Amino acid sequence: MILINLLPHREAARKLRRESFFGALGASVVVGLLVVGLVYLWFQSQISSQQGRNTVLQTEIKRLEVQIKDIAALQAEITALKARQQAVEDLQADRNLPVHLLNELVKQLPSGVYINSLKQENQTVTFQGVAQSNERVSELLRNLLNNSPWLERPELVEIVAGTVALTPRDQRRVANFTIRAGLVRASDAQKTDGQPSVPGAASGASKPAKVN
């Protein structure tokens, strides 16, 4: 017996292939969406985790900034206290400076030199006097420069020729001078062994000016 198929089998085959293609395409889209969703969720998780870490860091930074401000204020207070303590120590040490100054002048004045006036301003002392000659003034400067632990950087400000009447008939030529020097604080004038140091020994003294 001969069987004849009168149904459109080619169209049915094409329809079956189309349905298979669209099914596979739909499955691919679903899988793609799932992958994209999973990647998106992973990135969101990473972003949330990083944001949490950033929040913790910002909180710690703010806390440290407060601590840094407290430390800076404490350091400023410590510096101010040290400055006040140093000022008090300097005042206590400077109480005896006039005594040391007068004692040094007695020691360092060569014969033939006399002091008429003495003026102290802060750590600078200026004294005026009379000497028998310019050489005596130079000797005084050398003594103050090399031998005095309480006076430093002696400087000859002025020297002027003059006369002194010992008697109505005895006129002597003298040198009127003005010398300026720096006073050394007691804390700087003591060595580690408690002996006075000789500040300014390496610096040079001013040369005596010419007699006017």
Side-chain angles (χ1 to χ4, degrees):
M1 178 187 292
I2 300 174
L3 298 177
I4 299 174
N5 187 5
L6 299 177
L7 296 176
H9 64 280
R10 293 188 179 87
E11 292 182 2
R14 285 196 294 268
K15 181 178 180 182
L16 181 60
R17 288 196 296 270
R18 283 197 301 270
E19 290 176 353
S20 299
F21 172 76
F22 286 120
L25 181 62
S28 299
V29 170
V30 171
V31 172
L33 290 176
L34 288 175
V35 172
V36 171
L38 290 175
V39 172
Y40 175 78
L41 292 176
W42 182 81
F43 276 113
Q44 286 296 112
S45 174
Q46 293 296 318
I47 292 172
S48 299
S49 177
Q50 186 61 46
Q51 287 177 345
R53 288 194 292 268
N54 291 343
T55 302
V56 173
L57 289 176
Q58 290 175 356
T59 303
E60 291 297 320
I61 289 172
K62 290 180 180 180
R63 184 175 63 84
L64 290 176
E65 286 178 349
V66 174
Q67 292 180 354
I68 290 172
K69 290 180 180 179
D70 294 339
I71 292 173
L74 183 60
Q75 289 178 341
E77 185 176 355
I78 292 174
T79 302
L81 289 175
K82 287 182 177 179
R84 286 196 291 269
Q85 179 182 0
Q86 186 63 42
V88 172
E89 291 176 355
D90 290 339
L91 287 174
Q92 291 177 349
D94 291 346
R95 289 184 303 177
N96 296 326
L97 274 182
V99 177
H100 295 303
L101 174 60
L102 295 177
N103 187 44
E104 283 302 307
L105 288 179
V106 172
K107 290 181 180 180
Q108 307 305 333
L109 280 180
S111 60
V113 179
Y114 306 92
I115 299 297
N116 294 331
S117 65
L118 184 67
K119 179 182 178 182
Q120 178 183 351
E121 184 175 355
N122 295 327
Q123 295 302 115
T124 302
V125 60
T126 304
F127 45 91
Q128 298 176 335
V130 179
Q132 291 179 351
S133 63
N134 291 350
E135 289 74 16
R136 299 292 186 181
V137 178
S138 299
E139 183 179 357
L140 173 60
L141 284 172
R142 286 193 298 271
N143 291 344
L144 295 178
L145 176 63
N146 300 321
N147 302 329
S148 175
W150 298 100
L151 294 169
E152 62 179 356
R153 299 187 301 275
E155 176 187 3
L156 180 62
V157 178
E158 183 184 32
I159 184 168
V160 181
T163 57
V164 172
L166 300 180
T167 65
R169 295 184 179 182
D170 188 5
Q171 300 285 332
R172 298 286 181 90
R173 289 180 58 83
V174 296
N176 298 308
F177 64 88
T178 301
I179 292 178
R180 180 169 54 234
L183 279 174
V184 180
R185 295 187 182 276
S187 57
D188 297 329
Q190 300 298 323
K191 287 184 177 179
T192 55
D193 59 358
Q195 297 298 324
S197 62
V198 184
S203 60
S206 302
K207 296 181 179 180
K210 295 183 179 180
V211 177
N212 294 330

